[in-house]
Amino acid sequence: MDIEQTKIPQATAKRLPLYYRFLNNLHSQGKMRVSSKELSDAVKVDSATIRRDFSYFGALGKKGYGYNVEYLLSFFRKTLDQDETTRVALIGVGNLGTAFLNYNFTKNNNTKIEMAFDANTDRVGNEVGGVNVYHIDDLEEKLGDLSVAILTVPASAAQGIADRLVEAGISGILNFTPARISVPSQVRVHHIDLAIELQALVYFLKHYPLNEEAPMDEQ
Amino acid sequence: MDIEQTKIPQATAKRLPLYYRFLNNLHSQGKMRVSSKELSDAVKVDSATIRRDFSYFGALGKKGYGYNVEYLLSFFRKTLDQDETTRVALIGVGNLGTAFLNYNFTKNNNTKIEMAFDANTDRVGNEVGGVNVYHIDDLEEKLGDLSVAILTVPASAAQGIADRLVEAGISGILNFTPARISVPSQVRVHHIDLAIELQALVYFLKHYPLNEEAPMDEQ
DNA sequence: TGGACTATGTGAAAACTTTAACGACTTCCG
DNA sequence: CGGAAGTCGTTAAAGTTTTCACATAGTCCA
Ligand SMILES: NC(=O)c1ccc[n+]([C@@H]2O[C@H](COP(=O)([O-])OP(=O)(O)OC[C@H]3O[C@@H](n4cnc5c(N)ncnc54)[C@H](O)[C@@H]3O)[C@@H](O)[C@H]2O)c1
Ligand SMILES: NC(=O)c1ccc[n+]([C@@H]2O[C@H](COP(=O)([O-])OP(=O)(O)OC[C@H]3O[C@@H](n4cnc5c(N)ncnc54)[C@H](O)[C@@H]3O)[C@@H](O)[C@H]2O)c1
């Protein structure tokens, strides 16, 4: 909870995990150095933006040389707390929830889905992707000190479950349901609304010219 | 392809589908009128932002009254081309792809996954969620005039498939793989990177104070 | 009908984000 | 060793998005 880091722009913070992943790729390819230009080509973010982003953390590179991959990587590992794994709960083992459980978020990542909950007794007691599925009634009992939850229940159940999660002490929710849930201000919710992403893409295609000067990428 | 509409800020454009969905909800609840304040509570977007967004389309509301739900809805239906369905292809019928196929995007939506492709012959020939799965070798032959594709293949295959999609005339790609693909500037790619979303949430929780003045929501 | 109330639409300011440009320092080759 | 080439870190400018705040115009009740 560094006071320093409070100053980092949100836009920058959102790109950090992306940088981290590509630095990891470079490192496992045995690359020793990288320039903001090379990184820019890889992650599709303007090189000036990358340099600006890095500069919030101090002078990480060397003029005329670029950045040392290993150094940068170890710096971001600390910054992004890659050393400690954040344990996550998933609520709603349906289509989407099952996909997430089968996917191993820990591969390149400091997060791990530790347990799952569902209301459907057919699902309860099983293991999906190596994760135990408990009954939603046991949420408060099993949750322990987990602080992050992924919400993949039907929209109609979203607010109710969110209330229980908050009550149980969760501090972050990744919400995949179309419901815009209400939570106290100490709790952070990120909405990922897949239907809307698709609609927005279609809208942009129909209404925005996509010629030469189209932006490199979106979102 | 109205010239008018080119002026609409991207940030606004991304919120339109959200507004549309909530207006639909209100309408099916029988509500006749709605104020920017009420809408704000529902979608968690500042009411001034909502009024500003709407104002790009002209004066849609009435002072002292608010907005007529039916009118607004029919206006957005036209604006978002809700009348014509956009046909979409999905490439990669794995965990995530299967979840999308089973989900009916058409429920509240003008998009429909029309066909799917996979390299695994075990999947080919089956129907998933009512959608035929073809072999990836037949991509060019089957694709026809579809202009949007959802990419849920392994990261290593992403760029190769993207190249083929572009060659086959696709104009928009919703990319769920961690690979940042390169495409010509006439093609629009939206990246949805779930692992990064999760990491970013964790980062914000650890490094940003989430007290009184925390923003209402993110992303 | 009148007057209190309500809620829009928008000008202006503030906040945030991206991009351009370049001085300064490093590297690296001949 | 010296100079050309490369690349950072940053200042300043431009662009985008959000928010404030209020005149204005319509509502609605008594
Ligand atoms: N699948 C997709 O492609 C997709 C796309 C966009 C949005 N979404 C949204 O994601 C969410 C999940 O979608 P899905 O397709 O996985 O749905 P699903 O119906 O397959 O899964 C929902 C799961 O939640 C469980 N559940 C229901 N009520 C519960 C409760 N009170 N407590 C705990 N578990 C409960 C159900 O038993 C089920 O297993 C939905 O809100 C949906 O709108 C999904
Ligand atoms: N599942 C998740 O929760 C999750 C989370 C984050 C990111 N992702 C990303 O989404 C993508 C898909 O993930 P997944 O879990 O569904 O993977 P998956 O391995 O379950 O599915 C990939 C599918 O693509 C098919 N495929 C492989 N090569 C192909 C090719 N050349 N042409 C056509 N099809 C091909 C495979 O046969 C398989 O069915 C991956 O890039 C993954 O990194 C998934």
PDB file of all heavy atoms in Angstrom, chain B residues 39-60:
ATOM      1  N   LEU B  39     -31.457   6.405 -14.241  1.00  0.00           N
ATOM      2  CA  LEU B  39     -30.641   5.593 -15.124  1.00  0.00           C
ATOM      3  C   LEU B  39     -29.234   5.473 -14.552  1.00  0.00           C
ATOM      4  O   LEU B  39     -28.608   4.408 -14.604  1.00  0.00           O
ATOM      5  CB  LEU B  39     -30.595   6.271 -16.495  1.00  0.00           C
ATOM      6  CG  LEU B  39     -30.529   5.400 -17.734  1.00  0.00           C
ATOM      7  CD1 LEU B  39     -31.449   4.192 -17.649  1.00  0.00           C
ATOM      8  CD2 LEU B  39     -30.867   6.234 -18.953  1.00  0.00           C
ATOM      9  N   SER B  40     -28.772   6.571 -13.982  1.00  0.00           N
ATOM     10  CA  SER B  40     -27.448   6.590 -13.384  1.00  0.00           C
ATOM     11  C   SER B  40     -27.324   5.547 -12.279  1.00  0.00           C
ATOM     12  O   SER B  40     -26.338   4.817 -12.195  1.00  0.00           O
ATOM     13  CB  SER B  40     -27.162   7.974 -12.833  1.00  0.00           C
ATOM     14  OG  SER B  40     -26.001   7.962 -12.050  1.00  0.00           O
ATOM     15  N   ASP B  41     -28.337   5.481 -11.430  1.00  0.00           N
ATOM     16  CA  ASP B  41     -28.307   4.491 -10.355  1.00  0.00           C
ATOM     17  C   ASP B  41     -28.256   3.076 -10.914  1.00  0.00           C
ATOM     18  O   ASP B  41     -27.576   2.210 -10.384  1.00  0.00           O
ATOM     19  CB  ASP B  41     -29.549   4.637  -9.464  1.00  0.00           C
ATOM     20  CG  ASP B  41     -29.501   5.929  -8.661  1.00  0.00           C
ATOM     21  OD1 ASP B  41     -28.403   6.516  -8.537  1.00  0.00           O
ATOM     22  OD2 ASP B  41     -30.564   6.363  -8.178  1.00  0.00           O
ATOM     23  N   ALA B  42     -28.961   2.870 -12.003  1.00  0.00           N
ATOM     24  CA  ALA B  42     -29.051   1.524 -12.559  1.00  0.00           C
ATOM     25  C   ALA B  42     -27.766   1.106 -13.267  1.00  0.00           C
ATOM     26  O   ALA B  42     -27.296  -0.014 -13.092  1.00  0.00           O
ATOM     27  CB  ALA B  42     -30.228   1.427 -13.526  1.00  0.00           C
ATOM     28  N   VAL B  43     -27.194   1.989 -14.061  1.00  0.00           N
ATOM     29  CA  VAL B  43     -26.029   1.572 -14.843  1.00  0.00           C
ATOM     30  C   VAL B  43     -24.707   2.010 -14.230  1.00  0.00           C
ATOM     31  O   VAL B  43     -23.646   1.686 -14.751  1.00  0.00           O
ATOM     32  CB  VAL B  43     -26.094   2.062 -16.311  1.00  0.00           C
ATOM     33  CG1 VAL B  43     -27.316   1.500 -17.005  1.00  0.00           C
ATOM     34  CG2 VAL B  43     -26.067   3.576 -16.397  1.00  0.00           C
ATOM     35  N   LYS B  44     -24.777   2.749 -13.132  1.00  0.00           N
ATOM     36  CA  LYS B  44     -23.565   3.198 -12.438  1.00  0.00           C
ATOM     37  C   LYS B  44     -22.673   4.088 -13.318  1.00  0.00           C
ATOM     38  O   LYS B  44     -21.458   3.894 -13.392  1.00  0.00           O
ATOM     39  CB  LYS B  44     -22.721   2.004 -11.940  1.00  0.00           C
ATOM     40  CG  LYS B  44     -23.503   0.882 -11.284  1.00  0.00           C
ATOM     41  CD  LYS B  44     -24.022   1.273  -9.929  1.00  0.00           C
ATOM     42  CE  LYS B  44     -24.691   0.077  -9.241  1.00  0.00           C
ATOM     43  NZ  LYS B  44     -25.697   0.517  -8.279  1.00  0.00           N
ATOM     44  N   VAL B  45     -23.328   4.989 -14.005  1.00  0.00           N
ATOM     45  CA  VAL B  45     -22.615   6.000 -14.779  1.00  0.00           C
ATOM     46  C   VAL B  45     -23.171   7.335 -14.316  1.00  0.00           C
ATOM     47  O   VAL B  45     -24.377   7.468 -14.129  1.00  0.00           O
ATOM     48  CB  VAL B  45     -22.867   5.821 -16.295  1.00  0.00           C
ATOM     49  CG1 VAL B  45     -22.333   7.000 -17.080  1.00  0.00           C
ATOM     50  CG2 VAL B  45     -22.272   4.512 -16.796  1.00  0.00           C
ATOM     51  N   ASP B  46     -22.305   8.303 -14.097  1.00  0.00           N
ATOM     52  CA  ASP B  46     -22.722   9.607 -13.599  1.00  0.00           C
ATOM     53  C   ASP B  46     -23.846  10.199 -14.458  1.00  0.00           C
ATOM     54  O   ASP B  46     -23.820  10.107 -15.681  1.00  0.00           O
ATOM     55  CB  ASP B  46     -21.515  10.545 -13.596  1.00  0.00           C
ATOM     56  CG  ASP B  46     -21.849  11.870 -12.955  1.00  0.00           C
ATOM     57  OD1 ASP B  46     -21.713  11.963 -11.726  1.00  0.00           O
ATOM     58  OD2 ASP B  46     -22.280  12.789 -13.682  1.00  0.00           O
ATOM     59  N   SER B  47     -24.825  10.818 -13.802  1.00  0.00           N
ATOM     60  CA  SER B  47     -25.998  11.280 -14.541  1.00  0.00           C
ATOM     61  C   SER B  47     -25.642  12.380 -15.540  1.00  0.00           C
ATOM     62  O   SER B  47     -26.240  12.477 -16.612  1.00  0.00           O
ATOM     63  CB  SER B  47     -27.090  11.757 -13.586  1.00  0.00           C
ATOM     64  OG  SER B  47     -26.682  12.925 -12.921  1.00  0.00           O
ATOM     65  N   ALA B  48     -24.662  13.200 -15.211  1.00  0.00           N
ATOM     66  CA  ALA B  48     -24.245  14.236 -16.159  1.00  0.00           C
ATOM     67  C   ALA B  48     -23.641  13.600 -17.403  1.00  0.00           C
ATOM     68  O   ALA B  48     -23.833  14.087 -18.524  1.00  0.00           O
ATOM     69  CB  ALA B  48     -23.238  15.172 -15.512  1.00  0.00           C
ATOM     70  N   THR B  49     -22.936  12.526 -17.195  1.00  0.00           N
ATOM     71  CA  THR B  49     -22.337  11.817 -18.330  1.00  0.00           C
ATOM     72  C   THR B  49     -23.431  11.240 -19.223  1.00  0.00           C
ATOM     73  O   THR B  49     -23.349  11.307 -20.452  1.00  0.00           O
ATOM     74  CB  THR B  49     -21.414  10.692 -17.821  1.00  0.00           C
ATOM     75  OG1 THR B  49     -20.384  11.280 -17.031  1.00  0.00           O
ATOM     76  CG2 THR B  49     -20.783   9.928 -18.971  1.00  0.00           C
ATOM     77  N   ILE B  50     -24.470  10.722 -18.591  1.00  0.00           N
ATOM     78  CA  ILE B  50     -25.581  10.180 -19.369  1.00  0.00           C
ATOM     79  C   ILE B  50     -26.253  11.272 -20.191  1.00  0.00           C
ATOM     80  O   ILE B  50     -26.493  11.120 -21.386  1.00  0.00           O
ATOM     81  CB  ILE B  50     -26.605   9.504 -18.427  1.00  0.00           C
ATOM     82  CG1 ILE B  50     -25.985   8.250 -17.817  1.00  0.00           C
ATOM     83  CG2 ILE B  50     -27.877   9.161 -19.185  1.00  0.00           C
ATOM     84  CD1 ILE B  50     -26.884   7.539 -16.816  1.00  0.00           C
ATOM     85  N   ARG B  51     -26.511  12.408 -19.554  1.00  0.00           N
ATOM     86  CA  ARG B  51     -27.153  13.502 -20.300  1.00  0.00           C
ATOM     87  C   ARG B  51     -26.274  13.966 -21.449  1.00  0.00           C
ATOM     88  O   ARG B  51     -26.736  14.201 -22.561  1.00  0.00           O
ATOM     89  CB  ARG B  51     -27.468  14.671 -19.365  1.00  0.00           C
ATOM     90  CG  ARG B  51     -28.546  14.357 -18.353  1.00  0.00           C
ATOM     91  CD  ARG B  51     -29.174  15.614 -17.790  1.00  0.00           C
ATOM     92  NE  ARG B  51     -28.223  16.481 -17.118  1.00  0.00           N
ATOM     93  CZ  ARG B  51     -27.745  16.280 -15.891  1.00  0.00           C
ATOM     94  NH1 ARG B  51     -28.135  15.228 -15.193  1.00  0.00           N
ATOM     95  NH2 ARG B  51     -26.900  17.129 -15.355  1.00  0.00           N
ATOM     96  N   ARG B  52     -24.973  14.078 -21.154  1.00  0.00           N
ATOM     97  CA  ARG B  52     -24.035  14.481 -22.211  1.00  0.00           C
ATOM     98  C   ARG B  52     -24.049  13.452 -23.348  1.00  0.00           C
ATOM     99  O   ARG B  52     -24.108  13.812 -24.515  1.00  0.00           O
ATOM    100  CB  ARG B  52     -22.639  14.598 -21.606  1.00  0.00           C
ATOM    101  CG  ARG B  52     -21.524  14.665 -22.577  1.00  0.00           C
ATOM    102  CD  ARG B  52     -21.314  16.035 -23.150  1.00  0.00           C
ATOM    103  NE  ARG B  52     -20.919  16.974 -22.118  1.00  0.00           N
ATOM    104  CZ  ARG B  52     -21.239  18.269 -22.117  1.00  0.00           C
ATOM    105  NH1 ARG B  52     -21.955  18.777 -23.090  1.00  0.00           N
ATOM    106  NH2 ARG B  52     -20.855  19.061 -21.154  1.00  0.00           N
ATOM    107  N   ASP B  53     -23.998  12.175 -22.992  1.00  0.00           N
ATOM    108  CA  ASP B  53     -24.007  11.120 -24.014  1.00  0.00           C
ATOM    109  C   ASP B  53     -25.243  11.241 -24.902  1.00  0.00           C
ATOM    110  O   ASP B  53     -25.146  11.226 -26.128  1.00  0.00           O
ATOM    111  CB  ASP B  53     -24.007   9.731 -23.350  1.00  0.00           C
ATOM    112  CG  ASP B  53     -22.631   9.333 -22.807  1.00  0.00           C
ATOM    113  OD1 ASP B  53     -21.629  10.002 -23.146  1.00  0.00           O
ATOM    114  OD2 ASP B  53     -22.565   8.357 -22.039  1.00  0.00           O
ATOM    115  N   PHE B  54     -26.393  11.367 -24.257  1.00  0.00           N
ATOM    116  CA  PHE B  54     -27.633  11.452 -25.027  1.00  0.00           C
ATOM    117  C   PHE B  54     -27.648  12.692 -25.904  1.00  0.00           C
ATOM    118  O   PHE B  54     -28.191  12.692 -27.018  1.00  0.00           O
ATOM    119  CB  PHE B  54     -28.850  11.473 -24.092  1.00  0.00           C
ATOM    120  CG  PHE B  54     -29.137  10.152 -23.437  1.00  0.00           C
ATOM    121  CD1 PHE B  54     -28.324   9.048 -23.661  1.00  0.00           C
ATOM    122  CD2 PHE B  54     -30.243  10.010 -22.603  1.00  0.00           C
ATOM    123  CE1 PHE B  54     -28.600   7.825 -23.046  1.00  0.00           C
ATOM    124  CE2 PHE B  54     -30.525   8.789 -22.000  1.00  0.00           C
ATOM    125  CZ  PHE B  54     -29.704   7.699 -22.212  1.00  0.00           C
ATOM    126  N   SER B  55     -27.044  13.766 -25.392  1.00  0.00           N
ATOM    127  CA  SER B  55     -27.138  15.032 -26.109  1.00  0.00           C
ATOM    128  C   SER B  55     -26.408  15.003 -27.447  1.00  0.00           C
ATOM    129  O   SER B  55     -26.700  15.817 -28.324  1.00  0.00           O
ATOM    130  CB  SER B  55     -26.602  16.166 -25.248  1.00  0.00           C
ATOM    131  OG  SER B  55     -25.192  16.157 -25.244  1.00  0.00           O
ATOM    132  N   TYR B  56     -25.476  14.060 -27.613  1.00  0.00           N
ATOM    133  CA  TYR B  56     -24.803  13.970 -28.912  1.00  0.00           C
ATOM    134  C   TYR B  56     -25.794  13.596 -30.008  1.00  0.00           C
ATOM    135  O   TYR B  56     -25.550  13.819 -31.183  1.00  0.00           O
ATOM    136  CB  TYR B  56     -23.674  12.926 -28.876  1.00  0.00           C
ATOM    137  CG  TYR B  56     -22.507  13.348 -28.023  1.00  0.00           C
ATOM    138  CD1 TYR B  56     -22.178  12.649 -26.866  1.00  0.00           C
ATOM    139  CD2 TYR B  56     -21.746  14.463 -28.364  1.00  0.00           C
ATOM    140  CE1 TYR B  56     -21.108  13.033 -26.079  1.00  0.00           C
ATOM    141  CE2 TYR B  56     -20.685  14.864 -27.580  1.00  0.00           C
ATOM    142  CZ  TYR B  56     -20.368  14.146 -26.437  1.00  0.00           C
ATOM    143  OH  TYR B  56     -19.323  14.537 -25.655  1.00  0.00           O
ATOM    144  N   PHE B  57     -26.898  13.022 -29.610  1.00  0.00           N
ATOM    145  CA  PHE B  57     -27.894  12.608 -30.590  1.00  0.00           C
ATOM    146  C   PHE B  57     -29.022  13.624 -30.724  1.00  0.00           C
ATOM    147  O   PHE B  57     -30.008  13.378 -31.411  1.00  0.00           O
ATOM    148  CB  PHE B  57     -28.471  11.241 -30.202  1.00  0.00           C
ATOM    149  CG  PHE B  57     -27.430  10.165 -30.168  1.00  0.00           C
ATOM    150  CD1 PHE B  57     -26.825   9.791 -28.976  1.00  0.00           C
ATOM    151  CD2 PHE B  57     -27.022   9.543 -31.340  1.00  0.00           C
ATOM    152  CE1 PHE B  57     -25.846   8.807 -28.957  1.00  0.00           C
ATOM    153  CE2 PHE B  57     -26.046   8.561 -31.322  1.00  0.00           C
ATOM    154  CZ  PHE B  57     -25.448   8.187 -30.137  1.00  0.00           C
ATOM    155  N   GLY B  58     -28.887  14.742 -30.037  1.00  0.00           N
ATOM    156  CA  GLY B  58     -29.926  15.755 -30.087  1.00  0.00           C
ATOM    157  C   GLY B  58     -30.663  15.823 -28.768  1.00  0.00           C
ATOM    158  O   GLY B  58     -30.238  15.246 -27.776  1.00  0.00           O
ATOM    159  N   ALA B  59     -31.764  16.525 -28.774  1.00  0.00           N
ATOM    160  CA  ALA B  59     -32.542  16.686 -27.542  1.00  0.00           C
ATOM    161  C   ALA B  59     -33.544  15.555 -27.445  1.00  0.00           C
ATOM    162  O   ALA B  59     -34.623  15.606 -28.016  1.00  0.00           O
ATOM    163  CB  ALA B  59     -33.231  18.040 -27.548  1.00  0.00           C
ATOM    164  N   LEU B  60     -33.188  14.528 -26.704  1.00  0.00           N
ATOM    165  CA  LEU B  60     -34.033  13.335 -26.631  1.00  0.00           C
ATOM    166  C   LEU B  60     -35.002  13.389 -25.456  1.00  0.00           C
ATOM    167  O   LEU B  60     -35.965  12.633 -25.404  1.00  0.00           O
ATOM    168  CB  LEU B  60     -33.161  12.078 -26.504  1.00  0.00           C
ATOM    169  CG  LEU B  60     -32.151  11.831 -27.630  1.00  0.00           C
ATOM    170  CD1 LEU B  60     -31.330  10.577 -27.348  1.00  0.00           C
ATOM    171  CD2 LEU B  60     -32.875  11.692 -28.968  1.00  0.00           C
TER     172      LEU B  60
END
